[in-house]
Amino acid sequence: METRRLGRLEHQSSVLIYGAASLGGVDQDRADASIQEALDAGINHFDVAADYGEAELRLGPRMAEIRDRIFLATKTGRRTYDEAWAEINRSLERLQTDHVDLIQMHAVCDLENLDLVTGKGGSLEAAIRAKEEGMVSAIGITGHTAEAPSVHLEGLRRFDFDSVLTPLNYKLSTDPKYADDYAALVEAVRASDAALMTIKMIARRNWQDGEEKAYDTWYRPFDEQRYVTAATAWLLNGHPEITGLATAGETRLLRQMVQAEKERAELSPDAAAAILDEVQDYQSPFVDMPI
């Protein structure tokens, strides 16, 4: 699998980042099988969060075996110093490690939450303390709304985050405002040499009322290999600024995403976009979010 430099953190990160939200509601056997599938595919970057159900607990039992083989990132969604400090410590216990490579301010999707995170007594102060004490090596910011790129740009103005995790897929790129916000974020990320990672690459649309939810994702994902490959090719082949993309929060989709990463060299970004244009119900996943 291709690796890319994770900004100034210098880690050579696999372009597929294991989205450990997929482990939030599964048993240990299924978790172990999915983790091994990722390792066998060459994925060396794992991304989890305290808010992902029991995901940290599912990763923890494997940590003694794999800790020196992976870049390990987690997230805190708490907004005050005290709450975030307690959660960071809890995450280390659940992950069965004494440090993570990256702690991320989770779900910073609007300016109100950014103010809470970066303000006096906010969770960022807890992350800074954790870095000073060697519990974490770097500090990042994440978000998942249509406003996320503009909010993350403002976040970089307030603090020199080491990484940004923001949404991007072909459909989002066709929205002029989103495209402009994303381009401005890319410029700022490049100026600071931060790592830029993305999410929602294979999001197809929201689940419809009454539709059976076939996967554990809150949105309806692409699951046909043709479209998963096209979405992956469009993103990775056309966006060298992206250091990696998070796999979907569903263990049953990992195989398709690994296959897509292998096949993507055959598709130019334009050819991939033409394939995705075939999909009649392809739209932004942020039409009706469950948060």
Side-chain angles (χ1 to χ4, degrees), residues 5-283:
R5 175 178 172 270
L6 198 64
R8 61 176 179 259
L9 300 180
E10 296 291 351
H11 180 255
Q12 290 299 315
S13 179
S14 54
V15 290
L16 293 187
I17 299 167
Y18 186 80
S22 61
L23 305 181
V26 305
D27 62 25
Q28 193 63 49
D29 287 344
R30 183 168 163 188
D32 287 342
S34 185
I35 292 166
Q36 193 60 51
E37 182 181 4
L39 294 169
D40 291 345
I43 294 175
N44 66 7
H45 184 150
F46 281 60
D47 183 83
V48 68
D51 287 335
Y52 291 164
E54 296 190 342
E56 290 180 331
L57 291 173
R58 300 285 80 77
L59 271 175
R62 298 294 303 275
M63 207 51 61
E65 171 194 353
I66 69 173
R67 184 66 190 92
D68 62 350
R69 299 167 56 188
I70 65 169
F71 183 95
L72 179 61
T74 193
K75 311 181 187 81
T76 177
R78 307 289 74 77
R79 296 304 186 233
T80 69
Y81 170 89
D82 288 339
E83 290 173 325
W85 178 249
E87 188 162 79
I88 292 168
N89 279 273
R90 177 172 172 262
S91 287
L92 293 179
E93 292 175 3
R94 284 156 59 100
L95 288 166
Q96 300 183 34
T97 184
D98 61 359
H99 77 285
V100 294
D101 298 299
L102 177 66
I103 184 68
Q104 298 160 103
M105 306 295 97
H106 191 196
V108 185
C109 304
D110 53 42
L111 292 177
E112 180 182 0
N113 274 276
L114 182 64
D115 288 343
L116 293 174
V117 166
T118 60
K120 183 174 177 57
S123 55
L124 180 59
E125 292 182 358
I128 291 170
R129 177 184 172 187
K131 184 175 180 179
E132 291 173 344
E133 296 191 11
M135 298 159 60
V136 309
S137 300
I139 302 171
I141 188 170
T142 82
H144 38 78
T145 63
E147 291 74 39
S150 63
V151 173
H152 294 164
L153 176 61
E154 175 60 25
L156 287 172
R157 295 190 182 110
R158 299 185 187 186
F159 181 77
D160 194 17
F161 287 102
D162 296 296
S163 69
V164 175
L165 181 66
T166 210
L168 186 66
N169 60 36
Y170 171 60
K171 181 56 67 173
L172 288 170
S173 78
T174 64
D175 179 313
K177 183 180 186 308
Y178 198 93
D180 287 347
D181 288 345
Y182 176 77
L185 176 62
V186 170
E187 184 177 351
V189 163
R190 283 175 167 161
S192 66
D193 197 22
L196 179 60
M197 300 167 283
T198 62
I199 55 174
K200 302 298 176 279
M201 183 269 296
I202 64 167
R204 179 173 185 151
R205 57 169 169 79
N206 293 104
W207 295 109
Q208 298 173 349
D209 290 342
E211 181 179 13
E212 180 183 357
K213 295 184 177 181
Y215 299 104
D216 291 335
T217 48
W218 61 262
Y219 54 86
R220 168 71 165 90
F222 285 120
D223 56 2
E224 297 174 68
Q225 190 65 56
R226 173 178 174 81
Y227 298 130
V228 176
T229 297
T232 305
W234 178 85
L235 193 76
L236 289 178
N237 296 351
H239 293 273
E241 75 279 3
I242 293 172
T243 60
L245 59 93
T247 60
E250 168 58 72
T251 58
R252 290 170 293 172
L253 293 171
L254 181 60
R255 177 184 58 80
Q256 288 97 318
M257 298 186 78
V258 169
Q259 185 64 27
E261 198 281 326
K262 294 177 181 178
E263 296 176 347
R264 67 185 173 89
E266 302 172 9
L267 283 177
S268 70
D270 287 344
I275 291 172
L276 294 170
D277 280 334
E278 300 171 359
V279 184
Q280 298 300 309
D281 61 349
Y282 188 20
Q283 62 183 29

